[in-house]
Amino acid sequence: MTQTNDSEWLKSDSREHLAALDLGSNSFHLIIGRVIEGQIQPIHKFKQRVSLAEGLLSKGISVEAFERGLDALSQFAMHLRDFAPERVRVVATHTLREANNRKEFIQAARQLLPFPIEVISGREEARLIYLGVAQAVPFRGPRLIIDIGGGSTEFAVGKDEVPELLLSKSFGSLVVSERFFAKGKITEKRFNKAVLSVKQELEPFSKQLKRARAEQVLGTSGTIKALAKWIHPNTEGDLSIELQQLHQLRDKLLALKDLAQIDPAEVEPARIPSIVGGLAVLIAVCEELNIDRLNSVDAALREGVLFELAEQAVFHKDIRYKTIQSMAVRYQVDDAQAERVLASVERVLEGVGKAWKLNTPDIKLLLTGASGLHEVGMNISSSGIQKHSGYILSNAYMPGFSSDEQRVLALLCRYFRKKISAEDLSDFAQFDHLTVARMIVVIRLGVLLNASRQTHDALRSVSLKGSTLMLKLQGPLANSAILAADIERENKHLSVLGYQLVIA
């Protein structure tokens, strides 16, 4: 994949471009590209060092890191000011998964960036990293990809372009540096403790990773790239790293005794505070997994996000639909009933979608998913099915879904019938309380109208009168006493959300 210079990028038409922004724990990365003859061509990359995970051991983003993050986002906003929303994807990783003030940061970020910020799970991060590397570095055969971030380390094992094992662990260069090398002091005892700690966390999964018998081991991220450059000064491109060379760097750091003694000509100054933790992580990983040698590569999460965005925006392939279909097959859902519910949901959206602002692609996808997956809990028990469905969808790995998207989908399936707990609707960064409440009303109505599990076209239309949904029915259900009783009972549940149903 080639990359043009900034002047060429500025001359091109941003309406044709796609942009992926990765809000990492160490740095924020922006990549802009375009599709040419079916291939992604990166044309501009921009990075801001933020150290968002600084102070994360106390569970929150520090005031200084908070401000650095917002300052960086204001810079990215200038680069993205002419982009259509559907051609930009913003993902956030470990720090915004773990920080107790992540919601406040995302809310502040919304004032600067007019694009949704998706907080992705560790496994989803690993999948997208694998996807990005697979596009940049073709290889046939089993391979292992390791990405050491500031707050976490991701592992992805697969063949060709298909990941088969995905793992994320909460040890990263910045977090390990803060935990074991406070104030930049480096001793053999501290270093050995850091390595042992990483090995202990990785040990339960090391057999799985070693069993893959990877023929190629690749390392991504700024930490591994910085270590490779330290080993190979004045050398460009993808570089090899041997375990013995990592041991030599360790010995060099132990001789220096303090991070302040590192030569800034050898390690980028902004990288120095986290480099010792990153080295400890990589040594621990290599020793635990019996890795003698790996190669650093430039491609990482942002390339994977850009590739999948192109699949969605240009080629109209959305992996989330594939995930929904796969889960429907796995849990043997009733396809005919799912289609009936979806048809009713779509009819409801014709009447209320615009007024309720539910006509966005992401919301329609979630309602489609809820229509197809609300009965996955039937495999556990038909009694309390909604609880089982909600649990399954909360805990399943769902490729393509952000954390909030998956939680909302689980919530729609948890409350597709019976009692509603309004308290569960509020803790989302990507969706507001009102939108989630309205989505629940829509899916519940779709299910209610198909309680008989018979194909019909009973719902002629839906209109709004304040917080009341006026239903115009036709056919046998128009005068059904059973449906009237069901709606009366349903209104007791919907009153928690402030809505009611009336047969016009």
Side-chain angles (χ1 to χ4, degrees):
M1 294 192 297
T2 58
Q3 180 179 340
T4 61
N5 60 38
D6 286 356
S7 61
E8 289 174 315
W9 133 250
L10 291 170
K11 292 175 185 176
S12 51
D13 187 351
S14 63
R15 290 173 298 180
E16 299 177 356
H17 297 151
L18 301 162
L21 178 54
D22 158 24
L23 307 185
S25 298
N26 265 329
S27 303
F28 290 178
H29 297 267
L30 173 67
I31 182 171
I32 294 171
R34 59 184 175 183
V35 177
I36 297 180
E37 297 180 354
Q39 300 294 318
I40 301 290
Q41 181 192 52
I43 56 177
H44 181 63
K45 291 183 180 180
F46 182 53
K47 179 180 82 171
Q48 284 279 83
R49 178 81 176 178
V50 175
S51 298
L52 198 65
E54 186 179 87
L56 194 60
L57 290 178
S58 60
K59 289 299 182 181
I61 301 170
S62 68
V63 174
E64 296 79 10
F66 201 108
E67 289 303 317
R68 287 196 300 270
L70 295 183
D71 288 344
L73 289 179
S74 67
Q75 295 295 317
F76 290 118
M78 292 190 291
H79 286 258
L80 298 172
R81 62 181 179 272
D82 295 326
F83 278 74
E86 65 273 12
R87 300 184 80 84
V88 177
R89 188 177 179 194
V90 185
V91 300
T93 58
H94 178 82
T95 298
L96 291 177
R97 287 195 293 266
E98 300 296 328
N100 57 19
N101 57 346
R102 61 187 179 277
K103 190 173 181 180
E104 290 80 358
F105 182 86
I106 292 173
Q107 288 174 341
R110 280 179 176 171
Q111 307 303 313
L112 301 171
L113 279 178
F115 311 107
I117 296 176
E118 304 173 32
V119 180
I120 58 176
S121 69
R123 288 184 69 185
E124 180 67 358
E125 183 179 354
R127 183 186 71 84
L128 289 167
I129 290 167
Y130 186 95
L131 187 61
V133 174
Q135 303 306 310
V137 188
F139 180 77
R140 293 199 170 275
R143 63 175 164 188
L144 167 64
I145 296 170
I146 303 165
D147 184 291
I148 301 175
S152 64
T153 297
E154 279 64 48
F155 302 85
V157 176
K159 293 180 181 179
D160 300 331
E161 296 182 2
V162 182
E164 298 173 351
L165 173 63
L166 302 169
L167 177 67
S168 177
K169 300 303 296 177
S170 296
F171 46 75
S173 60
L174 198 55
V175 169
V176 172
S177 292
E178 288 194 352
R179 181 180 175 188
F180 293 98
F181 306 100
K183 300 180 181 179
K185 301 300 178 184
I186 309 169
T187 65
E188 185 173 5
K189 184 178 180 180
R190 290 186 180 195
F191 201 95
N192 290 340
K193 277 188 175 182
V195 170
L196 180 60
S197 173
V198 172
K199 286 183 176 181
Q200 286 175 322
E201 288 197 52
L202 187 58
E203 192 271 337
F205 309 94
S206 60
K207 285 185 179 179
Q208 283 180 287
L209 293 168
K210 286 188 283 190
R211 199 179 297 134
R213 300 185 184 279
E215 296 172 6
Q216 181 189 62
V217 181
L218 300 177
T220 72
S221 79
T223 293
I224 290 180
K225 182 190 283 188
L227 291 171
K229 285 188 174 181
W230 200 0
I231 293 168
H232 304 282
N234 306 315
T235 305
E236 298 298 326
D238 297 340
L239 306 171
S240 66
I241 299 175
E242 295 181 4
L243 180 56
Q244 64 175 12
Q245 294 171 322
L246 296 176
H247 288 157
Q248 289 168 1
L249 288 184
R250 175 200 59 196
D251 295 342
K252 185 173 185 177
L253 282 173
L254 293 177
L256 293 175
K257 298 182 180 180
D258 197 304
L259 288 178
Q261 300 303 313
I262 294 178
D263 186 349
E266 295 181 324
V267 179
E268 179 186 353
R271 181 70 58 179
I272 289 175
S274 64
I275 198 67
V276 63
L279 177 61
V281 170
L282 190 54
I283 286 177
V285 168
C286 289
E287 290 181 349
E288 181 66 22
L289 301 182
N290 300 327
I291 298 170
D292 294 321
R293 186 177 182 275
L294 70 153
N295 285 346
S296 72
V297 293
D298 194 39
L301 174 62
R302 57 190 178 273
E303 282 79 10
V305 175
L306 185 68
F307 176 81
E308 198 153 271
L309 177 62
E311 290 279 282
Q312 183 176 333
V314 179
F315 303 114
H316 308 293
K317 299 177 184 177
D318 194 326
I319 190 175
R320 293 174 297 177
Y321 281 107
K322 184 177 179 180
T323 297
I324 291 168
Q325 292 167 359
S326 297
M327 290 198 71
V329 171
R330 184 189 316 159
Y331 290 97
Q332 301 176 316
V333 301
D334 183 340
D335 290 340
Q337 178 67 358
E339 290 174 4
R340 286 189 286 263
V341 172
L342 179 58
S344 295
V345 164
E346 290 173 340
R347 182 62 59 86
V348 175
L349 288 178
E350 289 174 8
V352 306
K354 184 177 181 180
W356 276 4
K357 298 180 180 178
L358 300 180
N359 284 337
T360 68
D362 288 340
I363 290 175
K364 286 184 175 180
L365 178 139
L366 291 174
L367 287 170
T368 298
S371 299
L373 300 177
H374 66 281
E375 290 188 337
V376 294
M378 189 78 77
N379 272 2
I380 299 176
S381 172
S382 59
S383 175
I385 179 178
Q386 72 281 0
K387 296 179 183 178
H388 305 315
S389 294
Y391 177 82
I392 289 171
L393 292 169
S394 292
N395 293 280
Y397 171 51
M398 302 189 69
F401 284 82
S402 70
S403 298
D404 270 4
E405 286 171 343
Q406 181 169 350
R407 289 172 61 212
V408 168
L409 179 59
L411 202 65
L412 295 178
C413 295
R414 168 64 180 85
Y415 293 123
F416 78 85
R417 68 172 195 166
K418 298 202 173 180
K419 291 182 180 180
I420 304 168
S421 176
E423 292 78 14
D424 290 345
L425 277 59
S426 58
D427 189 26
F428 299 99
Q430 200 172 330
F431 302 92
D432 60 65
H433 174 278
L434 190 59
T435 297
V436 176
R438 289 169 171 175
M439 291 168 71
I440 289 176
V441 174
V442 171
I443 191 63
R444 288 177 71 97
L445 181 52
V447 172
L448 178 66
L449 291 169
N450 293 280
S452 65
R453 308 183 81 87
Q454 297 180 26
T455 301
H456 54 67
D457 190 20
L459 184 61
R460 181 187 299 174
S461 65
V462 181
S463 59
L464 283 171
K465 187 175 181 181
S467 59
T468 300
L469 284 78
M470 311 295 294
L471 312 180
K472 287 188 178 181
L473 305 178
Q474 59 190 9
L477 287 185
N479 299 303
S480 170
I482 294 176
L483 179 60
D486 286 345
I487 287 178
E488 183 179 351
R489 184 170 58 247
E490 176 67 6
N491 280 333
K492 292 179 182 178
H493 297 312
L494 291 183
S495 64
V496 172
L497 304 180
Y499 296 101
Q500 66 173 339
L501 309 173
V502 172
I503 299 176

